Amino acid sequence: MEKLRELKIPVRLRKHPVVIDGRLKWNAAEKLAFLFLTGGVGYGLIELLWRGHTHPSMVVAGGVCFILIYGVNKWLRGHSVLLRSAVSAAAITAVEFSVGIVVNRLLDLSVWDYSGEKYNLLGQICPHYSFLWFLLCIHLVWMLTKAARLSAEK
């Protein structure tokens, strides 16, 4: 924490939540932590349901991905759900490739291997799974949009 203060990075986590007009108010650090944890747990659960097992690196990747999906949704607000979903799926694919290069190629942990899939890139990503991420992102983007609208209405 002292190192963060030296870098003049504001980190303020509150001991108690702040509620204004019946709504929970979060600062940026709290919102990012919530998004990271939600995405990490969600990604891990998807892996458990799909493959029957997961790896800690996938929980970290999931947290990063959900923060990116949230950011894309805010950045492209007003654009179609399909465009926001496509950009989000591309971001997930980029994270999956980056994490795959580190954990599968550099650290040789063999967390996954898509080398049997058509048109794979170094066995780390492939169009089949990118398309599945796109389909999931349609639902996630819709949920984030709905949540933003409900929050604005209160």
Side-chain angles (χ1 to χ4, degrees):
M1 199 61 116
E2 287 301 316
K3 292 280 185 195
L4 291 175
R5 285 192 185 109
E6 290 173 16
L7 295 172
K8 300 199 184 329
I9 297 173
V11 176
R12 294 183 185 100
L13 294 176
R14 298 183 206 122
K15 292 181 183 176
H16 304 288
V18 175
V19 178
I20 299 173
D21 295 332
R23 293 186 301 168
L24 190 61
K25 296 292 185 178
W26 293 348
N27 65 31
E30 292 164 337
K31 186 179 283 187
L32 287 175
F34 175 78
L35 290 169
F36 184 84
L37 292 172
T38 301
V41 169
Y43 202 105
L45 288 174
I46 289 169
E47 285 256 309
L48 287 173
L49 292 171
W50 188 260
R51 301 186 326 148
H53 63 280
T54 192
H55 186 268
S57 63
M58 295 296 86
V59 175
V60 173
V64 170
C65 286
F66 202 60
I67 289 171
L68 289 173
I69 293 167
Y70 175 80
V72 165
N73 206 42
K74 283 186 73 169
W75 176 52
L76 294 176
R77 185 180 337 181
H79 289 81
S80 74
V81 169
L82 293 178
L83 175 65
R84 289 180 281 157
S85 299
V87 173
S88 295
I92 292 172
T93 301
V95 169
E96 192 173 41
F97 182 76
S98 302
V99 171
I101 291 298
V102 173
V103 301
N104 294 328
R105 292 295 187 103
L106 296 177
L107 299 177
D108 199 29
L109 295 177
S110 302
V111 176
W112 74 88
D113 183 6
Y114 294 155
S115 57
E117 297 282 336
K118 285 185 179 180
Y119 311 113
N120 73 81
L121 181 60
L122 301 175
Q124 305 310 304
I125 57 173
C126 65
H128 175 243
Y129 283 99
S130 295
F131 180 70
L132 293 176
W133 287 125
F134 170 71
L135 294 177
L136 179 64
C137 283
I138 292 171
H139 180 69
L140 293 175
V141 165
W142 178 81
M143 282 181 19
L144 285 169
T145 303
K146 184 100 172 148
R149 283 188 190 137
L150 287 174
S151 177
E153 288 174 5
K154 288 188 175 184

PDB file of all heavy atoms in Angstrom, residues 8-40:
ATOM      1  N   LYS A   8       1.609   7.699  -6.141  1.00  0.00           N
ATOM      2  CA  LYS A   8       0.482   8.620  -6.187  1.00  0.00           C
ATOM      3  C   LYS A   8      -0.713   8.030  -6.941  1.00  0.00           C
ATOM      4  O   LYS A   8      -1.411   8.702  -7.671  1.00  0.00           O
ATOM      5  CB  LYS A   8       0.884   9.954  -6.787  1.00  0.00           C
ATOM      6  CG  LYS A   8       1.979  10.647  -6.000  1.00  0.00           C
ATOM      7  CD  LYS A   8       2.037  12.101  -6.331  1.00  0.00           C
ATOM      8  CE  LYS A   8       3.129  12.858  -5.700  1.00  0.00           C
ATOM      9  NZ  LYS A   8       3.688  12.585  -4.481  1.00  0.00           N
ATOM     10  N   ILE A   9      -0.912   6.706  -6.734  1.00  0.00           N
ATOM     11  CA  ILE A   9      -2.082   6.032  -7.288  1.00  0.00           C
ATOM     12  C   ILE A   9      -3.132   5.992  -6.191  1.00  0.00           C
ATOM     13  O   ILE A   9      -2.914   5.389  -5.141  1.00  0.00           O
ATOM     14  CB  ILE A   9      -1.734   4.597  -7.754  1.00  0.00           C
ATOM     15  CG1 ILE A   9      -0.700   4.652  -8.878  1.00  0.00           C
ATOM     16  CG2 ILE A   9      -2.998   3.852  -8.183  1.00  0.00           C
ATOM     17  CD1 ILE A   9      -0.176   3.315  -9.297  1.00  0.00           C
ATOM     18  N   PRO A  10      -4.275   6.654  -6.412  1.00  0.00           N
ATOM     19  CA  PRO A  10      -5.287   6.682  -5.353  1.00  0.00           C
ATOM     20  C   PRO A  10      -5.980   5.328  -5.212  1.00  0.00           C
ATOM     21  O   PRO A  10      -6.587   4.829  -6.146  1.00  0.00           O
ATOM     22  CB  PRO A  10      -6.267   7.749  -5.836  1.00  0.00           C
ATOM     23  CG  PRO A  10      -6.096   7.789  -7.303  1.00  0.00           C
ATOM     24  CD  PRO A  10      -4.678   7.402  -7.581  1.00  0.00           C
ATOM     25  N   VAL A  11      -5.817   4.718  -4.052  1.00  0.00           N
ATOM     26  CA  VAL A  11      -6.502   3.464  -3.743  1.00  0.00           C
ATOM     27  C   VAL A  11      -7.264   3.703  -2.457  1.00  0.00           C
ATOM     28  O   VAL A  11      -6.677   3.856  -1.392  1.00  0.00           O
ATOM     29  CB  VAL A  11      -5.495   2.303  -3.564  1.00  0.00           C
ATOM     30  CG1 VAL A  11      -6.222   1.039  -3.152  1.00  0.00           C
ATOM     31  CG2 VAL A  11      -4.714   2.096  -4.840  1.00  0.00           C
ATOM     32  N   ARG A  12      -8.569   3.755  -2.584  1.00  0.00           N
ATOM     33  CA  ARG A  12      -9.402   4.016  -1.406  1.00  0.00           C
ATOM     34  C   ARG A  12     -10.512   2.980  -1.336  1.00  0.00           C
ATOM     35  O   ARG A  12     -11.538   3.113  -1.979  1.00  0.00           O
ATOM     36  CB  ARG A  12     -10.009   5.407  -1.499  1.00  0.00           C
ATOM     37  CG  ARG A  12      -8.990   6.514  -1.436  1.00  0.00           C
ATOM     38  CD  ARG A  12      -9.679   7.877  -1.448  1.00  0.00           C
ATOM     39  NE  ARG A  12      -8.685   8.909  -1.503  1.00  0.00           N
ATOM     40  CZ  ARG A  12      -8.337   9.560  -2.602  1.00  0.00           C
ATOM     41  NH1 ARG A  12      -8.929   9.297  -3.740  1.00  0.00           N
ATOM     42  NH2 ARG A  12      -7.410  10.488  -2.578  1.00  0.00           N
ATOM     43  N   LEU A  13     -10.289   1.931  -0.590  1.00  0.00           N
ATOM     44  CA  LEU A  13     -11.340   0.957  -0.347  1.00  0.00           C
ATOM     45  C   LEU A  13     -11.998   1.321   0.976  1.00  0.00           C
ATOM     46  O   LEU A  13     -11.332   1.531   1.982  1.00  0.00           O
ATOM     47  CB  LEU A  13     -10.777  -0.456  -0.301  1.00  0.00           C
ATOM     48  CG  LEU A  13     -10.205  -0.986  -1.616  1.00  0.00           C
ATOM     49  CD1 LEU A  13      -9.601  -2.368  -1.411  1.00  0.00           C
ATOM     50  CD2 LEU A  13     -11.271  -1.045  -2.685  1.00  0.00           C
ATOM     51  N   ARG A  14     -13.304   1.404   0.955  1.00  0.00           N
ATOM     52  CA  ARG A  14     -14.029   1.784   2.165  1.00  0.00           C
ATOM     53  C   ARG A  14     -14.270   0.576   3.046  1.00  0.00           C
ATOM     54  O   ARG A  14     -14.381  -0.545   2.572  1.00  0.00           O
ATOM     55  CB  ARG A  14     -15.373   2.393   1.777  1.00  0.00           C
ATOM     56  CG  ARG A  14     -15.247   3.637   0.960  1.00  0.00           C
ATOM     57  CD  ARG A  14     -16.638   4.185   0.694  1.00  0.00           C
ATOM     58  NE  ARG A  14     -16.574   4.955  -0.528  1.00  0.00           N
ATOM     59  CZ  ARG A  14     -17.295   4.739  -1.604  1.00  0.00           C
ATOM     60  NH1 ARG A  14     -18.188   3.797  -1.618  1.00  0.00           N
ATOM     61  NH2 ARG A  14     -17.161   5.478  -2.667  1.00  0.00           N
ATOM     62  N   LYS A  15     -14.392   0.831   4.358  1.00  0.00           N
ATOM     63  CA  LYS A  15     -14.706  -0.247   5.291  1.00  0.00           C
ATOM     64  C   LYS A  15     -16.177  -0.604   5.228  1.00  0.00           C
ATOM     65  O   LYS A  15     -16.559  -1.735   5.472  1.00  0.00           O
ATOM     66  CB  LYS A  15     -14.326   0.160   6.714  1.00  0.00           C
ATOM     67  CG  LYS A  15     -12.845   0.295   6.927  1.00  0.00           C
ATOM     68  CD  LYS A  15     -12.527   0.667   8.334  1.00  0.00           C
ATOM     69  CE  LYS A  15     -11.021   0.868   8.484  1.00  0.00           C
ATOM     70  NZ  LYS A  15     -10.664   1.309   9.811  1.00  0.00           N
ATOM     71  N   HIS A  16     -17.024   0.356   4.901  1.00  0.00           N
ATOM     72  CA  HIS A  16     -18.462   0.133   4.854  1.00  0.00           C
ATOM     73  C   HIS A  16     -19.009   0.686   3.543  1.00  0.00           C
ATOM     74  O   HIS A  16     -18.562   1.725   3.065  1.00  0.00           O
ATOM     75  CB  HIS A  16     -19.150   0.829   6.031  1.00  0.00           C
ATOM     76  CG  HIS A  16     -18.599   0.414   7.363  1.00  0.00           C
ATOM     77  ND1 HIS A  16     -18.847  -0.823   7.900  1.00  0.00           N
ATOM     78  CD2 HIS A  16     -17.777   1.050   8.225  1.00  0.00           C
ATOM     79  CE1 HIS A  16     -18.212  -0.924   9.071  1.00  0.00           C
ATOM     80  NE2 HIS A  16     -17.555   0.207   9.279  1.00  0.00           N
ATOM     81  N   PRO A  17     -19.992  -0.005   2.956  1.00  0.00           N
ATOM     82  CA  PRO A  17     -20.560   0.497   1.697  1.00  0.00           C
ATOM     83  C   PRO A  17     -21.319   1.807   1.903  1.00  0.00           C
ATOM     84  O   PRO A  17     -21.849   2.068   2.982  1.00  0.00           O
ATOM     85  CB  PRO A  17     -21.506  -0.619   1.271  1.00  0.00           C
ATOM     86  CG  PRO A  17     -21.801  -1.384   2.500  1.00  0.00           C
ATOM     87  CD  PRO A  17     -20.614  -1.220   3.405  1.00  0.00           C
ATOM     88  N   VAL A  18     -21.341   2.623   0.880  1.00  0.00           N
ATOM     89  CA  VAL A  18     -22.076   3.873   0.902  1.00  0.00           C
ATOM     90  C   VAL A  18     -23.357   3.681   0.098  1.00  0.00           C
ATOM     91  O   VAL A  18     -23.313   3.252  -1.059  1.00  0.00           O
ATOM     92  CB  VAL A  18     -21.235   5.025   0.300  1.00  0.00           C
ATOM     93  CG1 VAL A  18     -22.053   6.297   0.212  1.00  0.00           C
ATOM     94  CG2 VAL A  18     -19.975   5.233   1.123  1.00  0.00           C
ATOM     95  N   VAL A  19     -24.485   3.980   0.703  1.00  0.00           N
ATOM     96  CA  VAL A  19     -25.765   3.841   0.028  1.00  0.00           C
ATOM     97  C   VAL A  19     -26.408   5.224  -0.061  1.00  0.00           C
ATOM     98  O   VAL A  19     -26.574   5.905   0.946  1.00  0.00           O
ATOM     99  CB  VAL A  19     -26.702   2.866   0.779  1.00  0.00           C
ATOM    100  CG1 VAL A  19     -28.050   2.766   0.080  1.00  0.00           C
ATOM    101  CG2 VAL A  19     -26.046   1.501   0.902  1.00  0.00           C
ATOM    102  N   ILE A  20     -26.715   5.641  -1.293  1.00  0.00           N
ATOM    103  CA  ILE A  20     -27.359   6.933  -1.528  1.00  0.00           C
ATOM    104  C   ILE A  20     -28.617   6.666  -2.344  1.00  0.00           C
ATOM    105  O   ILE A  20     -28.560   6.001  -3.384  1.00  0.00           O
ATOM    106  CB  ILE A  20     -26.422   7.902  -2.276  1.00  0.00           C
ATOM    107  CG1 ILE A  20     -25.163   8.162  -1.443  1.00  0.00           C
ATOM    108  CG2 ILE A  20     -27.145   9.206  -2.607  1.00  0.00           C
ATOM    109  CD1 ILE A  20     -24.102   8.954  -2.157  1.00  0.00           C
ATOM    110  N   ASP A  21     -29.741   7.179  -1.889  1.00  0.00           N
ATOM    111  CA  ASP A  21     -31.020   6.969  -2.573  1.00  0.00           C
ATOM    112  C   ASP A  21     -31.308   5.490  -2.794  1.00  0.00           C
ATOM    113  O   ASP A  21     -31.827   5.085  -3.833  1.00  0.00           O
ATOM    114  CB  ASP A  21     -31.062   7.696  -3.923  1.00  0.00           C
ATOM    115  CG  ASP A  21     -30.998   9.201  -3.776  1.00  0.00           C
ATOM    116  OD1 ASP A  21     -31.442   9.707  -2.724  1.00  0.00           O
ATOM    117  OD2 ASP A  21     -30.513   9.864  -4.701  1.00  0.00           O
ATOM    118  N   GLY A  22     -30.948   4.665  -1.851  1.00  0.00           N
ATOM    119  CA  GLY A  22     -31.223   3.245  -1.951  1.00  0.00           C
ATOM    120  C   GLY A  22     -30.302   2.489  -2.900  1.00  0.00           C
ATOM    121  O   GLY A  22     -30.501   1.312  -3.161  1.00  0.00           O
ATOM    122  N   ARG A  23     -29.281   3.161  -3.449  1.00  0.00           N
ATOM    123  CA  ARG A  23     -28.347   2.512  -4.369  1.00  0.00           C
ATOM    124  C   ARG A  23     -26.958   2.446  -3.756  1.00  0.00           C
ATOM    125  O   ARG A  23     -26.530   3.367  -3.074  1.00  0.00           O
ATOM    126  CB  ARG A  23     -28.267   3.271  -5.691  1.00  0.00           C
ATOM    127  CG  ARG A  23     -29.551   3.205  -6.486  1.00  0.00           C
ATOM    128  CD  ARG A  23     -29.386   3.836  -7.829  1.00  0.00           C
ATOM    129  NE  ARG A  23     -28.993   5.243  -7.689  1.00  0.00           N
ATOM    130  CZ  ARG A  23     -28.550   5.984  -8.685  1.00  0.00           C
ATOM    131  NH1 ARG A  23     -28.418   5.473  -9.869  1.00  0.00           N
ATOM    132  NH2 ARG A  23     -28.241   7.244  -8.497  1.00  0.00           N
ATOM    133  N   LEU A  24     -26.272   1.369  -4.033  1.00  0.00           N
ATOM    134  CA  LEU A  24     -24.905   1.197  -3.564  1.00  0.00           C
ATOM    135  C   LEU A  24     -23.980   2.032  -4.436  1.00  0.00           C
ATOM    136  O   LEU A  24     -24.031   1.970  -5.658  1.00  0.00           O
ATOM    137  CB  LEU A  24     -24.518  -0.284  -3.666  1.00  0.00           C
ATOM    138  CG  LEU A  24     -23.234  -0.730  -3.020  1.00  0.00           C
ATOM    139  CD1 LEU A  24     -23.265  -0.475  -1.518  1.00  0.00           C
ATOM    140  CD2 LEU A  24     -23.028  -2.211  -3.278  1.00  0.00           C
ATOM    141  N   LYS A  25     -23.163   2.870  -3.836  1.00  0.00           N
ATOM    142  CA  LYS A  25     -22.211   3.711  -4.572  1.00  0.00           C
ATOM    143  C   LYS A  25     -20.799   3.171  -4.367  1.00  0.00           C
ATOM    144  O   LYS A  25     -20.356   2.991  -3.246  1.00  0.00           O
ATOM    145  CB  LYS A  25     -22.267   5.162  -4.063  1.00  0.00           C
ATOM    146  CG  LYS A  25     -23.592   5.831  -4.291  1.00  0.00           C
ATOM    147  CD  LYS A  25     -23.805   6.045  -5.758  1.00  0.00           C
ATOM    148  CE  LYS A  25     -25.076   6.823  -5.980  1.00  0.00           C
ATOM    149  NZ  LYS A  25     -25.325   7.100  -7.363  1.00  0.00           N
ATOM    150  N   TRP A  26     -20.106   2.928  -5.458  1.00  0.00           N
ATOM    151  CA  TRP A  26     -18.748   2.404  -5.407  1.00  0.00           C
ATOM    152  C   TRP A  26     -17.780   3.383  -6.029  1.00  0.00           C
ATOM    153  O   TRP A  26     -18.101   4.057  -6.999  1.00  0.00           O
ATOM    154  CB  TRP A  26     -18.652   1.100  -6.185  1.00  0.00           C
ATOM    155  CG  TRP A  26     -19.407  -0.038  -5.603  1.00  0.00           C
ATOM    156  CD1 TRP A  26     -19.964  -0.109  -4.364  1.00  0.00           C
ATOM    157  CD2 TRP A  26     -19.712  -1.268  -6.239  1.00  0.00           C
ATOM    158  NE1 TRP A  26     -20.576  -1.307  -4.188  1.00  0.00           N
ATOM    159  CE2 TRP A  26     -20.443  -2.040  -5.324  1.00  0.00           C
ATOM    160  CE3 TRP A  26     -19.439  -1.796  -7.482  1.00  0.00           C
ATOM    161  CZ2 TRP A  26     -20.891  -3.311  -5.613  1.00  0.00           C
ATOM    162  CZ3 TRP A  26     -19.881  -3.066  -7.779  1.00  0.00           C
ATOM    163  CH2 TRP A  26     -20.600  -3.809  -6.843  1.00  0.00           C
ATOM    164  N   ASN A  27     -16.575   3.420  -5.479  1.00  0.00           N
ATOM    165  CA  ASN A  27     -15.539   4.184  -6.157  1.00  0.00           C
ATOM    166  C   ASN A  27     -14.912   3.298  -7.234  1.00  0.00           C
ATOM    167  O   ASN A  27     -15.271   2.124  -7.377  1.00  0.00           O
ATOM    168  CB  ASN A  27     -14.515   4.746  -5.162  1.00  0.00           C
ATOM    169  CG  ASN A  27     -13.714   3.672  -4.461  1.00  0.00           C
ATOM    170  OD1 ASN A  27     -13.447   2.611  -5.009  1.00  0.00           O
ATOM    171  ND2 ASN A  27     -13.318   3.950  -3.233  1.00  0.00           N
ATOM    172  N   ALA A  28     -14.007   3.827  -8.006  1.00  0.00           N
ATOM    173  CA  ALA A  28     -13.447   3.098  -9.151  1.00  0.00           C
ATOM    174  C   ALA A  28     -12.741   1.807  -8.734  1.00  0.00           C
ATOM    175  O   ALA A  28     -12.896   0.771  -9.395  1.00  0.00           O
ATOM    176  CB  ALA A  28     -12.489   4.000  -9.923  1.00  0.00           C
ATOM    177  N   ALA A  29     -11.972   1.842  -7.649  1.00  0.00           N
ATOM    178  CA  ALA A  29     -11.247   0.646  -7.206  1.00  0.00           C
ATOM    179  C   ALA A  29     -12.217  -0.452  -6.785  1.00  0.00           C
ATOM    180  O   ALA A  29     -12.011  -1.633  -7.102  1.00  0.00           O
ATOM    181  CB  ALA A  29     -10.312   1.000  -6.050  1.00  0.00           C
ATOM    182  N   GLU A  30     -13.283  -0.068  -6.099  1.00  0.00           N
ATOM    183  CA  GLU A  30     -14.275  -1.060  -5.672  1.00  0.00           C
ATOM    184  C   GLU A  30     -15.004  -1.664  -6.871  1.00  0.00           C
ATOM    185  O   GLU A  30     -15.249  -2.873  -6.922  1.00  0.00           O
ATOM    186  CB  GLU A  30     -15.283  -0.417  -4.716  1.00  0.00           C
ATOM    187  CG  GLU A  30     -14.676  -0.025  -3.395  1.00  0.00           C
ATOM    188  CD  GLU A  30     -15.532   0.937  -2.593  1.00  0.00           C
ATOM    189  OE1 GLU A  30     -16.366   1.651  -3.174  1.00  0.00           O
ATOM    190  OE2 GLU A  30     -15.354   0.963  -1.366  1.00  0.00           O
ATOM    191  N   LYS A  31     -15.326  -0.833  -7.848  1.00  0.00           N
ATOM    192  CA  LYS A  31     -16.017  -1.327  -9.046  1.00  0.00           C
ATOM    193  C   LYS A  31     -15.116  -2.292  -9.827  1.00  0.00           C
ATOM    194  O   LYS A  31     -15.560  -3.355 -10.259  1.00  0.00           O
ATOM    195  CB  LYS A  31     -16.431  -0.176  -9.946  1.00  0.00           C
ATOM    196  CG  LYS A  31     -17.285  -0.618 -11.121  1.00  0.00           C
ATOM    197  CD  LYS A  31     -17.712   0.543 -11.980  1.00  0.00           C
ATOM    198  CE  LYS A  31     -18.822   1.298 -11.321  1.00  0.00           C
ATOM    199  NZ  LYS A  31     -19.401   2.348 -12.167  1.00  0.00           N
ATOM    200  N   LEU A  32     -13.843  -1.931  -9.996  1.00  0.00           N
ATOM    201  CA  LEU A  32     -12.913  -2.819 -10.702  1.00  0.00           C
ATOM    202  C   LEU A  32     -12.725  -4.138  -9.950  1.00  0.00           C
ATOM    203  O   LEU A  32     -12.672  -5.205 -10.580  1.00  0.00           O
ATOM    204  CB  LEU A  32     -11.567  -2.132 -10.908  1.00  0.00           C
ATOM    205  CG  LEU A  32     -11.540  -1.032 -11.963  1.00  0.00           C
ATOM    206  CD1 LEU A  32     -10.173  -0.357 -11.986  1.00  0.00           C
ATOM    207  CD2 LEU A  32     -11.884  -1.569 -13.342  1.00  0.00           C
ATOM    208  N   ALA A  33     -12.632  -4.068  -8.631  1.00  0.00           N
ATOM    209  CA  ALA A  33     -12.484  -5.296  -7.841  1.00  0.00           C
ATOM    210  C   ALA A  33     -13.708  -6.190  -7.998  1.00  0.00           C
ATOM    211  O   ALA A  33     -13.582  -7.405  -8.172  1.00  0.00           O
ATOM    212  CB  ALA A  33     -12.258  -4.947  -6.372  1.00  0.00           C
ATOM    213  N   PHE A  34     -14.894  -5.589  -7.961  1.00  0.00           N
ATOM    214  CA  PHE A  34     -16.127  -6.352  -8.133  1.00  0.00           C
ATOM    215  C   PHE A  34     -16.175  -6.997  -9.522  1.00  0.00           C
ATOM    216  O   PHE A  34     -16.494  -8.177  -9.665  1.00  0.00           O
ATOM    217  CB  PHE A  34     -17.353  -5.459  -7.922  1.00  0.00           C
ATOM    218  CG  PHE A  34     -18.646  -6.160  -8.213  1.00  0.00           C
ATOM    219  CD1 PHE A  34     -19.185  -7.049  -7.302  1.00  0.00           C
ATOM    220  CD2 PHE A  34     -19.305  -5.942  -9.417  1.00  0.00           C
ATOM    221  CE1 PHE A  34     -20.367  -7.714  -7.579  1.00  0.00           C
ATOM    222  CE2 PHE A  34     -20.493  -6.603  -9.702  1.00  0.00           C
ATOM    223  CZ  PHE A  34     -21.028  -7.497  -8.781  1.00  0.00           C
ATOM    224  N   LEU A  35     -15.860  -6.226 -10.553  1.00  0.00           N
ATOM    225  CA  LEU A  35     -15.871  -6.760 -11.916  1.00  0.00           C
ATOM    226  C   LEU A  35     -14.845  -7.886 -12.067  1.00  0.00           C
ATOM    227  O   LEU A  35     -15.128  -8.923 -12.676  1.00  0.00           O
ATOM    228  CB  LEU A  35     -15.584  -5.650 -12.928  1.00  0.00           C
ATOM    229  CG  LEU A  35     -16.676  -4.606 -13.101  1.00  0.00           C
ATOM    230  CD1 LEU A  35     -16.151  -3.420 -13.914  1.00  0.00           C
ATOM    231  CD2 LEU A  35     -17.914  -5.203 -13.742  1.00  0.00           C
ATOM    232  N   PHE A  36     -13.648  -7.687 -11.515  1.00  0.00           N
ATOM    233  CA  PHE A  36     -12.599  -8.699 -11.602  1.00  0.00           C
ATOM    234  C   PHE A  36     -13.035 -10.001 -10.925  1.00  0.00           C
ATOM    235  O   PHE A  36     -12.898 -11.087 -11.491  1.00  0.00           O
ATOM    236  CB  PHE A  36     -11.297  -8.178 -10.979  1.00  0.00           C
ATOM    237  CG  PHE A  36     -10.154  -9.134 -11.120  1.00  0.00           C
ATOM    238  CD1 PHE A  36      -9.408  -9.162 -12.287  1.00  0.00           C
ATOM    239  CD2 PHE A  36      -9.842 -10.013 -10.110  1.00  0.00           C
ATOM    240  CE1 PHE A  36      -8.349 -10.054 -12.433  1.00  0.00           C
ATOM    241  CE2 PHE A  36      -8.789 -10.911 -10.248  1.00  0.00           C
ATOM    242  CZ  PHE A  36      -8.047 -10.924 -11.411  1.00  0.00           C
ATOM    243  N   LEU A  37     -13.569  -9.891  -9.720  1.00  0.00           N
ATOM    244  CA  LEU A  37     -13.993 -11.087  -8.990  1.00  0.00           C
ATOM    245  C   LEU A  37     -15.165 -11.783  -9.680  1.00  0.00           C
ATOM    246  O   LEU A  37     -15.194 -13.007  -9.790  1.00  0.00           O
ATOM    247  CB  LEU A  37     -14.353 -10.734  -7.547  1.00  0.00           C
ATOM    248  CG  LEU A  37     -13.176 -10.313  -6.680  1.00  0.00           C
ATOM    249  CD1 LEU A  37     -13.663  -9.805  -5.324  1.00  0.00           C
ATOM    250  CD2 LEU A  37     -12.206 -11.466  -6.497  1.00  0.00           C
ATOM    251  N   THR A  38     -16.119 -10.994 -10.165  1.00  0.00           N
ATOM    252  CA  THR A  38     -17.267 -11.564 -10.869  1.00  0.00           C
ATOM    253  C   THR A  38     -16.815 -12.292 -12.131  1.00  0.00           C
ATOM    254  O   THR A  38     -17.228 -13.427 -12.394  1.00  0.00           O
ATOM    255  CB  THR A  38     -18.284 -10.461 -11.228  1.00  0.00           C
ATOM    256  OG1 THR A  38     -18.703  -9.821 -10.028  1.00  0.00           O
ATOM    257  CG2 THR A  38     -19.490 -11.031 -11.952  1.00  0.00           C
ATOM    258  N   GLY A  39     -15.970 -11.651 -12.916  1.00  0.00           N
ATOM    259  CA  GLY A  39     -15.473 -12.274 -14.139  1.00  0.00           C
ATOM    260  C   GLY A  39     -14.617 -13.495 -13.863  1.00  0.00           C
ATOM    261  O   GLY A  39     -14.715 -14.506 -14.564  1.00  0.00           O
ATOM    262  N   GLY A  40     -13.784 -13.413 -12.836  1.00  0.00           N
ATOM    263  CA  GLY A  40     -12.923 -14.550 -12.496  1.00  0.00           C
ATOM    264  C   GLY A  40     -13.716 -15.762 -12.063  1.00  0.00           C
ATOM    265  O   GLY A  40     -13.484 -16.882 -12.536  1.00  0.00           O
TER     266      GLY A  40
END
